[in-house]
Amino acid sequence: MTTASPLPLLIVFGAGGHGRVVVDAALASACFRTVVASDRDPSLWGQQLLPGVPIVSPAALHALPKPLALHVAIGNNLVRQKETQALRNIAPLVSVIHPRASVAQSSCIAPGCLLAAHCVVGPLANLEEGVIVNHGAVVDHDCRIGAWSHIAPLAALGGAVRVGSASLVGAGSVVLRDLTIGAGVTLGAGGVALTDVPAGQSWAGVPARPLERASA
Ligand SMILES: CC(C)(COP(=O)(O)OP(=O)(O)OC[C@H]1O[C@@H](n2cnc3c(N)ncnc32)[C@H](O)[C@@H]1OP(=O)(O)O)[C@@H](O)C(=O)NCCC(=O)NCCS
């Protein structure tokens, strides 16, 4: 008779508002035996991120009882990437998926992603490492989302949209099907992309245009 291995203790690194969203989803998922938060900011240590979820110093993480799992919960895309590289020796990086996220069986979710409540990830969608699909966002069929990108609350990507790495698709924005959003792009909240957005640019508005012309 084999003994089932215990569920991992989840370290949520990043004790801000996004950390609270991740902890809430992790607790609801029942995939972890307990959840502990951590942060670089010493003023937070000893407090709780949510009731029953203590914030401990990064130095204390190695002493936590194994098995461990790690999720870096930092909203800033580049900081999330940097902290993940710095911390990945502590524990295996895991995705956190809220039980009320709708995730197609044929989708592919790399480690380190957050799928928040009421988001939708459609069939054959592919999410690379560290992607955030926030509350109520839709990543439709065949989309490919590059590592460290953030699809903000209520954003909607039509089918087969490609998003490069470390981009922010802002809250409530829309990207029409088959378009490409380059790497390092910001699409402002409420923007509607009707064309491809080149890498490194900030666009906003309806229809979305480069930001210096967004309000023109
Ligand atoms: C697009 C965005 C990045 C611009 O931020 P910023 O560089 O600080 O720009 P500013 O606030 O200085 O605004 C610059 C101009 O763009 C306009 N603008 C800013 N955001 C806009 C938006 N979302 N849609 C249309 N116009 C916008 C401003 O009105 C301003 O116009 P003006 O020069 O005529 O006054 C930001 O407003 C935004 O939408 N971020 C996304 C936030 C989000 O969804 N976060 C997810 C949280 S979970």
Side-chain angles (χ1 to χ4, degrees), residues 134 150 152-153 168-172 186-191 202-206 211 214-216:
N134 224 319
H150 179 178
L168 169 64
V169 178
T186 298
L187 176 61
S202 293
W203 284 34
V206 183
L211 191 55
S215 56

Side-chain angles (χ1 to χ4, degrees), residues 179-196:
L179 293 180
T180 297
I181 306 295
V185 160
T186 298
L187 176 61
V192 177
L194 303 180
T195 63
D196 293 349

